[in-house]
Amino acid sequence: MKLIDSVVRSFKVAKVFRENTDKINAIDFSANGEMLISCSEDDQIVLYDCEKGTQIRTVNSKKYGVDLIHFTHANNTAIHSSTKVDDTIRYLSLHDNKYLRYFPGHTKKVISLNISPVEDTFLSGSLDKTLRLWDLRSPNCQGVMHLNGRPVAAYDPEGLIFAAGVNSESIKLYDLRSFDKGPFVTFKLNQEKECDWTGLKFSRDGKTILISTNGSIIRLIDAFHGTPLQTFTGHLNNKGIPIEASFSPDSQFIFSGSTDGRVHVWNADTGYKICVLNGDHPGPIQCVQFNPKFMMLASACTNMAFWLPTAEDS
C-alpha cells in the first residue's frame, strides 16, 4: 500500500490503550517498527507490540520520573531524561528494569534527546544552554557545545551531521567528526514571537528539517540552504505544550497533534492540509509518530491510539 491522500484520510483508530493516568509526554518506535515505547507524567514507561497491537509490559520510574524516551539500537534498552531528583540522563534495560548507566552533566531540564541513527551515540540539549554529545558505553560526556539560548537538536539520516536549533531563531549544522570546530553553516530565521522551538526532525531523505513548537505553528525549512519552505497551521495549541510534529516515512506528509485531541495532516510539498483525523482522544495530543516500517500511526494524550488505514483503493 502506498501512502497517498486517500489512504491518509482513511486512517482510523484500531486500538486504544488506557494504561496511563497522566499525559504521555514522549513516544518512540523501534527502528524495525515492531515495537513502540512511551513515557508518561505518571512515571510509567509502557512497551507495545505494534504487529500484535498489544501491550508488552509496564516499567515504573517513580524515583526519577521519565521524559524524552528513545530506544537505543537494541529493542530491549532505552535512554530517557528525568523529571525528578536531577537532570541526569538514564540508560535503562527494559527486560529487567535495571539502569545500565547514568549520564550526569546537565544542570537544568533536558529538553532535547536524540539517538544517532547509525551508532551508539546520542545528543542532549538542556535549558542550561548546552548541547552534549555522549557515547552509550561511557558515562562521560564526549563533547559540550555552549550556546546562547535554549537548544533543540537532531541527527541527519546518515548520522554524519547534526542540527542544533538555538534560541528559536537559528539552526547550526555541525559535522560530527569535527563538531568542536563549531558549526559549518548557520541559518538565521525570524525569531518566533509567540512560541519556542521544541523539536527538530530531518526528513528521511535528509532534504528538509521540520521544526516543532509549543505554539500553534510548525515550520519546514530546506536542510541545505535554510530557506523557509512551509508553515503549517490550523491545529490548536492553547496550552503551550511541546506538540510533536512528524514526517511520514516517505517525507510526503506531516502529522501533528493538537490540543483539540485530533491529528492534523498536511502535504509537505504544498503545505495544503490533507485532513484532520478524529480518534476521540479525550485530551491534548502531544505525541504523534508514523511507524518507520508498517502502515500505522500512533498518537497519544493520556491514552495511546494505534491507527490503521481502511482504504480499499490501494
Side-chain angles (χ1 to χ4, degrees):
M1 189 183 274
K2 196 169 176 316
L3 210 50
I4 53 174
D5 291 9
S6 61
V7 173
V8 172
R9 288 191 191 105
S10 81
F11 268 76
K12 297 273 186 294
V13 173
K15 193 81 188 265
V16 178
F17 301 90
R18 297 180 176 84
E19 312 306 323
N20 295 102
T21 56
D22 208 334
K23 184 173 67 184
I24 294 169
N25 48 27
I27 65 175
D28 188 43
F29 282 105
S30 59
N32 62 9
E34 290 170 9
M35 290 161 80
L36 178 74
I37 196 167
S38 74
C39 62
S40 163
E41 290 176 11
D42 62 13
D43 308 327
Q44 287 194 102
I45 297 164
V46 184
L47 204 56
Y48 301 92
D49 183 315
C50 297
E51 291 185 290
K52 295 185 181 133
T54 55
Q55 182 196 337
I56 301 171
R57 75 175 63 89
T58 299
V59 174
N60 286 309
S61 178
K62 295 288 181 207
K63 184 175 176 186
Y64 302 113
V66 54
D67 198 359
L68 303 177
I69 198 150
H70 283 276
F71 280 111
T72 64
H73 292 289
N75 287 0
N76 58 353
T77 56
I79 54 170
H80 68 79
S81 64
S82 313
T83 57
K84 303 174 186 174
V85 184
D86 57 24
D87 299 291
T88 296
I89 295 158
R90 294 180 160 84
Y91 179 22
L92 177 67
S93 166
L94 294 164
H95 68 91
D96 53 6
N97 194 14
K98 286 197 173 66
Y99 283 109
L100 303 173
R101 194 161 283 122
Y102 298 100
F103 303 96
H106 283 300
T107 56
K108 288 186 177 169
K109 181 180 165 75
V110 174
I111 55 170
S112 183
L113 194 59
N114 290 274
I115 201 126
S116 162
V118 294
E119 54 192 11
D120 284 333
T121 60
F122 66 94
L123 272 169
S124 60
S126 157
L127 291 177
D128 64 17
K129 298 185 183 176
T130 65
L131 268 181
R132 289 174 179 261
L133 195 61
W134 309 85
D135 187 307
L136 279 174
R137 294 162 295 205
S138 163
N140 304 320
C141 175
Q142 308 292 300
V144 187
M145 285 134 282
H146 294 273
L147 304 160
N148 63 351
R150 58 178 283 154
V152 286
Y155 286 92
D156 82 312
E158 260 75 69
L160 298 173
I161 66 169
F162 64 88
V166 185
N167 214 29
S168 307
E169 62 179 345
S170 62
I171 290 184
K172 299 173 185 292
L173 299 184
Y174 294 83
D175 186 317
L176 268 158
R177 291 156 301 194
S178 56
F179 64 85
D180 48 337
K181 296 189 173 72
F184 62 84
V185 67
T186 298
F187 305 136
K188 198 93 171 88
L189 292 114
N190 292 331
Q191 187 168 25
E192 300 298 343
K193 301 277 190 291
E194 309 285 310
C195 57
D196 297 310
W197 292 353
T198 51
L200 296 185
K201 286 181 186 176
F202 277 87
S203 57
R204 195 180 273 192
D205 58 16
K207 291 177 180 170
T208 58
I209 298 172
L210 189 63
I211 304 170
S212 306
T213 71
N214 57 8
S216 52
I217 197 162
I218 301 161
R219 301 202 185 274
L220 187 70
I221 67 160
D222 182 288
F224 300 105
H225 308 107
T227 328
L229 299 175
Q230 298 294 346
T231 299
F232 306 106
T233 57
H235 61 298
L236 283 180
N237 188 356
N238 51 15
K239 297 196 180 336
I241 59 174
I243 287 182
E244 179 174 39
S246 299
F247 288 99
S248 56
D250 60 10
S251 312
Q252 276 195 91
F253 298 97
I254 306 295
F255 296 82
S256 169
S258 177
T259 49
D260 66 3
R262 301 188 297 171
V263 175
H264 294 246
V265 191
W266 297 266
N267 180 299
D269 293 332
T270 63
Y272 177 74
K273 185 173 276 190
I274 302 296
C275 59
V276 180
L277 299 169
N278 194 350
D280 296 325
H281 273 288
I285 299 176
Q286 187 169 321
C287 308
V288 178
Q289 284 181 31
F290 207 98
N291 189 304
K293 291 284 190 283
F294 302 113
M295 190 66 88
M296 129 185 210
L297 184 72
S299 62
C301 59
T302 48
N303 297 345
M304 170 71 74
F306 285 7
W307 303 70
L308 295 171
T310 54
E312 301 300 318
D313 56 351
S314 52

